[in-house]
Amino acid sequence: MKVLITGNAGFIGFHATKKFLSKGFDVVGVDSINNYYSTKLKKDRLNEISKFSKKFKTKYTFIKGDLASNNFVKKIFKKNKINIVIHLAAQAGVRYSLINPYAYLRSNLVAFTNILEACRQNRISHLVYASTSSIYGANTSLPFKETDSTNHPLQFYAATKKANEAMAHSYSNLFKLPTTGLRFFTVYGPWGRPDMALSLFTKNILAKKHINIFNNGNHTRDFTYVEDIVEGILRISKKPPKINNYWNAKRPDASSSKAPYRIFNIGNNKRIKLMKYIEEIEKNLNIKAKKKFLPLQAGDVPDTYADVTSLIKIIKYSPNTNIKLGIYNFINWYKEYYKV
């Protein structure tokens, strides 16, 4: 089986590529290696993947390019007999979407259209793509269920991900393309992005600088360890969705369809207070953080909490790494990688 993993120089894409290689899949990785954050980190991830593929003696090919170019995407599929697509490439970052929405338009909508078209034309057996917990937006009914309303996104990033889910459904309906959208909940772990809270907190605490704590520290998050996320991706990739014969058009279930379409939450199924998360970082660094409390930022969701009942039912799996182990692993990696 040959798998195309887009965004494979990214945080989740890096771990997903290693996971699939370790299970004997041939992997084609694609990334533009843009400069949204450190290109060095992205290139170091790619070097790690190359070493890893040699260890498992699996076939790995990396292709650099922009998925918003339709000709580029067509060439990838023409040259490689792809069976499964794991689409993780996207412009990430909630706050950046307030500054540069056009980056999200190109990376999250145009590129996704090209992927959908290529999957249709090449009869791909399963398209798995990244969505986000941010899609629940103004909804405050916890835990978030896949059947909940997602009609009130709070920022453009979430709006593009909601659009991805709708676009995928249209292709599942029209062309019977099996698609599965995965709503990730606050992913963290080794090789994480430097613009994410865990990296920012760690960097500033080590430098004896203050850390910005938004919403005056009242956030709660369903922190999900990256290895748990990619285990979920692997298992789901092997179970393409089928038509739900019990789907009721008069009372539509938003998580499934009469088309081969499915939506899953992937989260740890636990609400953790942000201040507890910070305490674990402080313990691992053995440094007390200087804290600057700030109000809720535009576009921020106060709480996230995943209901993973469907995930457990369909793939018999639920993320379960606790933050003590997850942060411990991250801090060890951070100190080694950044030599601090």
Side-chain angles (χ1 to χ4, degrees):
M1 295 287 284
K2 185 174 283 189
V3 180
L4 172 66
I5 299 180
T6 69
N8 84 303
F11 172 37
I12 300 174
F14 161 75
H15 287 278
T17 302
K18 289 177 65 179
K19 174 65 73 172
F20 277 85
L21 287 171
S22 73
K23 298 300 179 181
F25 289 83
D26 290 345
V27 176
V28 176
V30 177
D31 204 290
S32 65
I33 317 181
N34 67 27
N35 61 359
Y36 170 65
Y37 64 85
S38 168
T39 57
K40 181 184 182 304
L41 177 59
K42 294 177 182 180
K43 290 174 182 176
D44 286 344
R45 288 177 184 144
L46 292 176
N47 288 334
E48 283 292 311
I49 293 171
S50 294
K51 295 175 189 174
F52 193 82
S53 66
K54 290 173 183 175
K55 175 183 175 183
F56 282 91
K57 297 179 181 178
T58 46
K59 189 175 180 182
Y60 166 67
T61 305
F62 174 72
I63 306 170
K64 182 182 177 182
D66 184 1
L67 295 171
S69 165
N70 193 29
N71 286 334
F72 172 69
V73 174
K74 285 180 176 179
K75 287 177 183 177
I76 294 170
F77 281 80
K78 186 177 180 179
K79 291 181 179 179
N80 299 276
K81 293 182 179 179
I82 306 295
N83 304 109
I84 297 169
V85 175
I86 311 297
H87 182 59
L88 302 173
Q91 177 58 59
V94 169
R95 294 192 181 100
Y96 186 60
S97 69
L98 279 66
I99 302 167
N100 186 7
Y102 295 101
Y104 295 77
L105 181 67
R106 182 176 176 80
S107 295
N108 298 8
L109 298 179
V110 175
F112 192 58
T113 302
N114 292 339
I115 289 292
L116 285 169
E117 265 297 284
C119 287
R120 174 181 77 85
Q121 292 169 1
N122 292 275
R123 300 184 179 277
I124 297 304
S125 64
H126 193 188
L127 166 61
V128 181
Y129 62 95
S131 188
T132 175
S133 61
S134 297
I135 202 170
Y136 290 105
N139 177 23
T140 58
S141 177
L142 299 173
F144 294 146
K145 299 178 181 179
E146 295 95 338
T147 52
D148 289 343
S149 170
T150 57
N151 291 327
H152 303 91
L154 297 180
Q155 11 75 16
F156 192 61
Y157 166 67
T160 63
K161 290 298 187 176
K162 178 174 174 59
N164 286 169
E165 294 184 4
M167 292 160 74
H169 184 270
S170 70
Y171 270 69
S172 294
N173 178 61
L174 292 170
F175 309 114
K176 306 309 175 193
L177 171 66
T179 68
T180 301
L182 305 179
R183 294 173 180 168
F184 299 144
F185 281 70
T186 316
V187 188
Y188 74 102
W191 295 93
R193 296 193 339 246
D195 63 313
M196 296 175 77
L198 182 52
S199 291
L200 291 171
F201 288 160
T202 301
K203 180 181 179 180
N204 283 6
I205 291 171
L206 285 169
K208 303 296 195 302
K209 296 179 180 179
H210 73 260
I211 60 173
N212 290 330
I213 303 175
F214 296 107
N215 197 25
N216 295 305
N218 294 317
H219 277 321
T220 63
R221 288 287 182 268
D222 196 335
F223 294 103
T224 312
Y225 191 58
V226 67
E227 285 295 335
D228 290 348
I229 289 285
V230 298
E231 178 65 27
I233 293 172
L234 174 68
R235 295 190 186 204
I236 286 167
S237 72
K238 299 175 181 178
K239 284 187 172 288
K242 297 179 181 179
I243 292 169
N244 181 358
N245 291 317
Y246 300 99
W247 194 81
N248 187 337
K250 293 182 178 179
R251 292 196 299 272
D253 172 359
S255 68
S256 68
S257 176
K258 63 179 180 179
Y261 167 89
R262 190 80 202 205
I263 297 292
F264 288 107
N265 288 335
I266 301 191
N268 213 38
N269 193 221
K270 291 181 180 64
R271 282 176 75 190
I272 303 293
K273 292 180 179 179
L274 178 60
M275 298 308 296
K276 173 65 177 173
Y277 193 68
I278 293 169
E279 283 176 18
E280 285 300 323
I281 301 170
E282 291 174 320
K283 285 179 187 176
N284 279 275
L285 294 176
N286 197 27
I287 303 172
K288 197 72 175 174
K290 297 177 182 178
K291 303 177 181 72
K292 184 177 181 180
F293 292 93
L294 297 167
L296 184 69
Q297 296 292 287
D300 268 5
V301 178
D303 307 287
T304 66
Y305 178 18
D307 182 311
V308 292
T309 303
S310 294
L311 193 71
I312 295 169
K313 180 179 179 181
I314 301 298
I315 65 166
K316 309 294 188 275
Y317 176 73
S318 174
N320 55 25
T321 302
N322 62 54
I323 61 166
K324 288 187 177 182
L325 177 59
I327 291 175
Y328 171 81
N329 289 344
F330 172 83
I331 297 297
N332 283 346
W333 167 80
Y334 189 96
K335 287 180 175 180
E336 181 180 350
Y337 181 76
Y338 290 104
K339 296 177 172 53
V340 292

